[in-house]
Amino acid sequence: MIHRNPRLAVLKAGYLFPEIARRKREFAAAHPEDPAKPETRIISLGVGNTTEPILPHINRGLTEGARKLALPGGYSGYQDEGLLELREKISGTFYQGVSGGPFSADEIFISDGAKCDIGRLQLLFGPDAKVAVQDPSYPVYVDGSVLMGAAGPWTGGGYDGISYLPCTAENSYFPDLSKLKENSIFYFCSPNNPTGAVSTRPQLEALVAEALKKGCLIVFDAAYAEYIRDPALPKTIFAIPGARECALELNSFSKPAGFTGVRLGWTVVPKELRYAGGESINADWNRVMGTIFNGASNIAQAGGLAALSPEGLGEIRQLCGFYLENARRIREALEKPGVSCVGGDNSPYIWARFPGRDSWDMFAEILETCRVLTTPGAGFGPSGQSFIRFSAFGHRADVEEACERLGRLKL
Ligand code: PLP
C-alpha cells in the first residue's frame, strides 16, 4: 500500500467553504425549503463566487475564440506562458504609468487563475520558507503552505511556524509591520478578502520599506483591484517605488469579468526579484510554470483580450459597479446597534463585527433567523473571531430579499 502525504494530516479540517456547504445541507435537511413559500428559501451571501452573466462584448471574445479553433488558419494548441498580445495588453492596461511598470512580456505569466498560481508559487519556496499572512486571510495562503510542509501542527490559534499578523479594528485592518520576521514570504491582499479593507498608499509604502529592510518577499494578491473606486487607493503594489525589488503580484479575471468558471489570471514576476543566493525568481517561475502547467485555455485568453479592449473595460466597470451597489445595500442593512462594518465601498466584501459573539454561532443564528448563508470570520484566521463576512456576489433580487430579512436579527 502507498502512504499518504503526511502533510495532508496536518491540515486542520475541511476547507472552509466545503464546511459551510455541509452545515447548509444539514440545516436544509432539518428545515426543508417549501417552493410555495419563498421565505423558506436559503439565500447565499456566503461564497465569493460571481453570479451575473458575462457581458456581451467579453462573451463575444470567448465565442469568437472558440469559433476560430475550428478554422485551419485559426487553430492554436498549447500556449505556454500565454499569448504575447495578452501579456502586452495586461502590462499596458494595468501597469502603464505606475512607478514599477510597465513590464516586459516575459515578466507577465498568464495562468488559469490566481488560486492555482498561489498553489504553484509554494514550489518556489519549499518547506523551509518562513510564511507570514494577514490575519484574517484568504485560506489558500495558509493551507497551501501547510501542504508544502512550511507549517507545523495546528496549535489552537493557528499553525505552528506561520506568522499571523492581526488586522483588526484597532489597527484599521493594517498589520503591525514590526511583527514581520526577517526573510519571510508575506502574503498580502488588498482590497482584502475577507475584511474588504483597502490599504492606502502610505500603508503600502511602509509595507515595501519594511520588506526591503528585512529581506522579505511580498506576494501581493490584487484579485479585487478593479473594485477600487477611490482614485487615491493604489490598485497594484507596483504603484509603490521599490516594489520591483521585493514583490510579485497575482491577479485574475475572475471577479472583475465574471471568469470564475472560465479561469484566467496572471502573475507579474519582475526580473529584479532574487533569492538570498542571487538566483532569479522570474527564471524559476518560468521553469515551474513550464514544468507543471501547460498554459491557459486559448478560448479564455481570447475572452481576456476582449475584456481589455475599451468596450471590455467598460463592461468590467459596469459589472463591478453592480456588485458594489449590492455591497452598499448590504452594508446599509447592517447599520444597526450591536454590529459595526468595514468594507463594501472599494471591495465586494463587508466585514461585520458582532462584539462578544462567536462567529460560527453568529453564522448559525443568521442562517436560522434570516435563512441567509454567510461566512464565519473565524474560518479566515484567529482574528476573524466575532466577525461575519458578507459577500456582495448575488442577484439583485436575492440581495434585496436578504437585506430585508437581516432586519429580523435581534442583537
Ligand atoms: N485571491 C483572492 C483574495 C480571492 O478571494 C480569490 C477567490 O475568491 C482568488 C485569489 C482566486 O481567484 P481565481 O478565481 O483567479 O483563482
Side-chain angles (χ1 to χ4, degrees):
M1 294 287 275
I2 56 139
H3 291 285
R4 186 188 191 204
N5 176 350
R7 281 146 195 174
L8 283 163
V10 178
L11 279 179
K12 187 177 159 266
Y15 181 68
L16 175 62
F17 295 103
E19 175 61 18
I20 291 170
R22 190 188 64 76
R23 292 191 188 216
K24 179 191 169 188
R25 274 196 307 278
E26 253 178 39
F27 178 82
H31 309 86
E33 294 184 12
D34 178 349
K37 295 183 183 157
E39 67 277 13
T40 62
R41 190 170 59 93
I42 296 171
I43 298 175
S44 176
L45 299 181
V47 292
N49 201 355
T50 47
T51 54
E52 301 310 294
I54 292 174
L55 289 169
H57 180 79
I58 300 177
N59 197 46
R60 270 196 298 280
L62 289 167
T63 51
E64 185 56 18
R67 197 187 64 83
K68 270 177 141 175
L69 291 177
L71 305 174
Y75 177 77
S76 59
Y78 290 128
Q79 302 259 295
D80 300 327
E81 60 277 273
L83 278 180
L84 177 63
E85 193 187 347
L86 181 58
R87 288 181 282 143
E88 288 174 347
K89 199 108 196 179
I90 286 172
S91 179
T93 306
F94 300 109
Y95 306 107
Q96 192 81 44
V98 301
S99 96
F103 290 93
S104 58
D106 54 359
E107 292 176 298
I108 295 176
F109 298 79
I110 308 294
S111 75
D112 52 351
K115 190 181 196 175
C116 321
D117 275 349
I118 295 163
R120 288 185 287 255
L121 264 177
Q122 322 259 349
L123 290 169
L124 294 180
F125 316 124
D128 297 329
K130 267 198 254 173
V131 172
V133 291
Q134 288 160 294
D135 172 26
S137 69
Y138 180 50
V140 187
Y141 314 138
V142 169
D143 286 2
S145 304
V146 171
L147 285 175
M148 180 48 67
W154 182 261
T155 55
Y159 289 99
D160 196 27
I162 300 233
S163 297
Y164 295 83
L165 304 191
C167 295
T168 59
E170 287 65 39
N171 58 18
S172 305
Y173 301 94
F174 186 80
D176 174 357
L177 295 173
S178 69
K179 302 249 162 37
L180 183 63
K181 293 188 187 140
E182 290 196 341
N183 308 321
S184 12
I185 291 141
F186 189 13
Y187 290 92
F188 195 96
C189 179
S190 175
N192 190 267
N193 177 11
T195 68
V198 187
S199 299
T200 63
R201 181 174 290 273
Q203 287 173 333
L204 293 182
E205 282 167 357
L207 174 65
V208 166
E210 196 77 6
L212 288 171
K213 188 172 87 188
K214 292 184 174 164
C216 296
L217 175 73
I218 303 163
V219 175
F220 192 81
D221 188 336
Y224 297 95
E226 288 312 300
Y227 285 83
I228 295 180
R229 286 291 189 259
D230 179 347
L233 296 170
K235 287 183 165 184
T236 161
I237 191 69
F238 297 114
I240 309 300
R244 285 186 80 107
E245 282 79 35
C246 65
L248 58 82
E249 180 164 297
L250 304 152
N251 211 322
S252 167
F253 287 85
S254 284
K255 307 305 164 93
F259 274 26
T260 45
V262 175
R263 310 304 305 147
L264 190 68
W266 72 91
T267 298
V268 182
V269 186
K271 291 207 186 119
E272 286 84 344
L273 285 185
R274 302 275 150 187
Y275 299 101
E279 309 91 335
S280 161
I281 295 182
N282 174 288
D284 269 5
W285 184 237
N286 197 20
R287 181 77 171 88
V288 165
M289 289 294 270
T291 304
I292 59 166
F293 181 59
N294 250 346
S297 145
N298 36 22
I299 301 171
Q301 292 189 76
L305 273 175
L308 300 186
S309 68
E311 297 98 307
L313 289 169
E315 290 184 347
I316 283 179
R317 196 170 165 81
Q318 184 186 334
L319 189 62
C320 293
F322 173 86
Y323 292 125
L324 284 168
E325 172 58 19
N326 281 352
R328 192 193 63 73
R329 290 175 187 223
I330 296 166
R331 198 167 160 166
E332 198 174 84
L334 289 168
E335 263 164 26
K336 48 168 82 192
V339 49
S340 56
C341 295
V342 284
D345 37 10
N346 292 282
S347 115
Y349 297 119
I350 296 104
W351 189 235
R353 184 185 199 183
F354 297 86
R357 302 294 306 270
D358 172 87
S359 61
W360 279 103
D361 288 351
M362 202 62 225
F363 162 86
E365 187 172 325
I366 297 171
L367 186 56
E368 278 156 29
T369 317
C370 312
R371 292 194 175 234
V372 170
L373 195 70
T374 58
T375 311
F380 295 101
S383 295
Q385 190 50 274
S386 297
F387 284 87
I388 291 287
R389 187 194 74 172
F390 289 84
S391 160
F393 294 113
H395 301 310
R396 181 60 49 77
D398 288 346
V399 169
E400 278 174 352
E401 170 74 20
C403 287
E404 207 176 295
R405 292 188 197 172
L406 287 172
R408 292 181 206 154
L409 274 181
K410 300 268 172 298
L411 298 168

